[in-house]
Amino acid sequence: MTRLSIVGNVSRDRTTYPDGRRSDLLGGAALHTALAAVRSGAHAGLVSVIGQDLAGLPHAGLHPRLDWSGVRISQGSSAAFTLTYDENDALRSVQPDYGAAADLTAHAVTRIRDRVGDFFHLSLRRPLEPVPVLTALTCQRAGFSADFFISSAPEMIRDAAPWLPRAAVVFTNAVEYEHLSASVDPDTLALVAVTDGPRPARLLWRGRTIVRARPPAATATEVTGAGDTFAGTFLAHWLDGLPSRQVLTSAVHAATEHLGAPPIPIPAQFRS
């Protein structure tokens, strides 16, 4: 089984909604993606940097198969993000505090060089710098996929564009796909998975839609991490060689289930 290494943030997240909902939870794209992948049977591990405040998290029992060996514990506090959504559950603003994750790029490059044979998924958000990481992947001839975050997607897509035709899979939402297709000829891209809220998700091959999957109806309790859950589930089944329609449908259903599931609370021992 191919080992999946997921590069990105593990963080403390605070989400706020206009109806008064607020949550303080464990988050970060890498954590959500990795948990979805292992729940779907993948051999997956995190490549991240956390601070002393979450130093015990690898032993907190989030999932027995999740590999924490690629997580470095540094001085200072872990990354923290305040995410504010509008009445349509669309992200309105992000307030970042990168903390120890400022060292993520250097750590990721080292891990890529050490883990020959892994398939790498890149959660391309700050503070991760795309160019050094993608250069390292190219030098190692490693397989990789990538996703983005709406607030930083235009910049990240532009920086990553020269390498994206080498990606096995690129994940975007409908808005991010507009930025992607403006920076990279879609005909040069292998697989692109495009989500669009309650509308059908699409899987494109060389710019042509090959599969669609409509999400089931759902009431959202917490939208943070839904896209990452989609990506992690997709990659687990895709690396396992399942048919494209089954891969996309499974990812869509997992993301929808995430919307109604309770968020991951910050364990009491890690609350400040």
Side-chain angles (χ1 to χ4, degrees), residues 68-90:
W68 291 83
S69 65
V71 175
R72 193 175 88 191
I73 301 170
S74 295
Q75 296 300 316
S77 298
S78 302
F81 299 92
T82 299
L83 305 115
T84 302
Y85 293 91
D86 65 17
E87 60 278 1
N88 297 313
D89 289 337

Side-chain angles (χ1 to χ4, degrees), residues 2 13 24 47 50 53 83 89-90 96 114 131 145 193 204-205:
T2 301
D13 289 351
D24 289 308
V47 179
I50 58 177
D53 56 324
L83 305 115
D89 289 337
D114 290 345
V131 173
S145 56
L204 287 73
W205 171 261

Side-chain angles (χ1 to χ4, degrees), residues 38-174:
V38 295
R39 286 167 182 156
S40 297
H43 179 201
L46 290 159
V47 179
S48 194
V49 181
I50 58 177
Q52 295 294 325
D53 56 324
L54 295 180
L57 194 57
H59 310 291
L62 293 182
H63 196 286
R65 293 199 307 271
L66 181 56
D67 183 358
W68 291 83
S69 65
V71 175
R72 193 175 88 191
I73 301 170
S74 295
Q75 296 300 316
S77 298
S78 302
F81 299 92
T82 299
L83 305 115
T84 302
Y85 293 91
D86 65 17
E87 60 278 1
N88 297 313
D89 289 337
L91 186 68
R92 191 174 70 193
S93 67
V94 181
Q95 294 177 291
D97 180 357
Y98 298 128
D103 295 331
L104 177 58
T105 300
H107 175 60
V109 168
T110 299
R111 189 72 175 176
I112 289 166
R113 291 171 180 166
D114 290 345
R115 297 295 306 190
V116 177
D118 282 14
F119 183 94
F120 286 85
H121 176 70
L122 306 180
S123 296
L124 289 176
R125 296 117 164 90
R126 297 295 180 205
L128 189 67
E129 296 292 338
V131 173
V133 174
L134 288 162
T135 299
L137 287 167
T138 301
C139 290
Q140 293 294 105
R141 298 184 179 180
F144 72 94
S145 56
D147 69 15
F148 305 94
F149 190 56
I150 186 64
S151 63
S152 60
E155 179 185 3
M156 284 289 191
I157 289 171
R158 184 193 65 229
D159 291 349
W163 289 272
L164 293 180
R166 296 175 177 267
V169 191
V170 177
F171 298 91
T172 73
N173 64 26

